[in-house]
Amino acid sequence: MNRSLSSPIDRHPDPDWSVVSRIPITGSDEPLVPLSLAPSPIRIFPVYAKQDVPGAINECYVREGVYRRLLKVARSLPAELGLVVLDGWRPWRVQQYLFDTLQEAIRSHHPELSDETLLERTREFVSVPSREASSPSPHLTGGAVDVTLSDADGLPLDMGTLFDEAVPASHTVALEEIPRPDARQRQARDNRRRLHGAMREQGFTNLPSEWWHYDAGDQLWAHYSGHAQALYGPAELETIESRWRRQL
């Protein structure tokens, strides 16, 4: 891990969503599993439920394959660090709320923006809500996760910006591009490098505009990893009602 800590994070272009949405999805029957089952050093903090976002659930679900990758990430970290999962599978209602809220905030600050530019600015941090089988929102697949690192006491490390802070400094390589970083900026940069290196080693890819967002198995992952196909389409939590209907 020392090598990945000392190596700068490479810059990657923002996704061309028209290209991403055309990547075929093979489909997978991997279930969504709750990360509250995971042993330490994984911790969960379902941030949207804590913030009372409408429709948010007080759990972090991911596909089983993603669950196992995250465990490998957490176990690869130094003993004094932990992996904190802030969000995984996201109900469509939550995706819609986040998109609408951010778009309205941008519009109120920049009423001069055209509809096309407003959409582009919004998609920088929140993808368009979609339940389409051929182009679902990444978090609706169970293959996207939002993560950070914590210290031995469970407190999040300084990453330079807060989670979901919709500013250019949240771009993954933003701290790499500061010519003369001060001590705090260097520490936050190194924390991002630590997280990025550990996640990449287990096959995750990163969304360049968000230091916290990683993918495995979804269309974004296929796009950035060079796979011709994605594994995960849209997923839904199994309920007792859906189980009974399927069985009976």
Side-chain angles (χ1 to χ4, degrees), residues 35 37-44 70-85 148-152 154:
L35 275 162
L37 295 176
S40 62
I42 284 185
R43 298 180 173 94
I44 69 164
L70 289 171
L71 275 176
K72 290 179 180 179
V73 171
R75 288 166 176 163
S76 75
L77 297 171
E80 69 274 12
L81 297 181
L83 184 70
V84 181
V85 181
T148 190
L149 297 176
S150 69
D151 64 18

Side-chain angles (χ1 to χ4, degrees), residues 138-203:
H139 276 282
L140 190 63
T141 70
V145 289
D146 296 331
V147 293
T148 190
L149 297 176
S150 69
D151 64 18
D153 294 326
L155 296 177
L157 300 188
D158 182 6
M159 293 290 184
T161 68
L162 299 175
F163 167 70
D164 260 359
E165 196 168 348
V167 295
S170 290
H171 292 197
T172 307
V173 300
L175 301 183
E176 302 285 353
E177 298 174 342
I178 299 175
R180 295 179 180 82
D182 60 27
R184 182 176 179 181
Q185 290 167 333
R186 287 196 301 273
Q187 184 60 63
R189 179 200 64 194
D190 289 350
N191 291 339
R192 288 192 191 188
R193 289 180 180 180
R194 175 79 74 184
L195 177 63
H196 187 269
M199 295 294 285
R200 289 296 302 235
E201 284 181 6
Q202 299 306 325

